[in-house]
Amino acid sequence: MSTPVKEQYIIDRDGNKTGIILSIEQYEQMLEDLHDLAIVAERRSEQPVSLAKMQEWLKEDGTL
């Protein structure tokens, strides 16, 4: 099990945060989260599907 790594900030001479250093794991998780949010935004106008309908589609598709 890996130890959680905290982000490190790059600061200017006045103490203002100007950048950040992330672990590869944190960076990859952030990219995955951004991708998920992009998909949600793209599908925002779609109508919801009932559980029963989704199960029917998955059975027809052979997934269930």
Side-chain angles (χ1 to χ4, degrees), residues 7-32:
E7 61 277 354
Q8 296 176 339
Y9 294 97
I10 300 169
I11 57 172
D12 63 15
R13 291 180 182 176
D14 297 325
N16 300 313
K17 295 177 184 175
T18 60
I20 189 167
I21 300 172
L22 301 172
S23 69
I24 296 296
E25 292 83 14
Q26 288 172 311
Y27 176 74
E28 289 174 343
Q29 182 63 52
M30 187 183 311
L31 285 179
E32 186 178 320

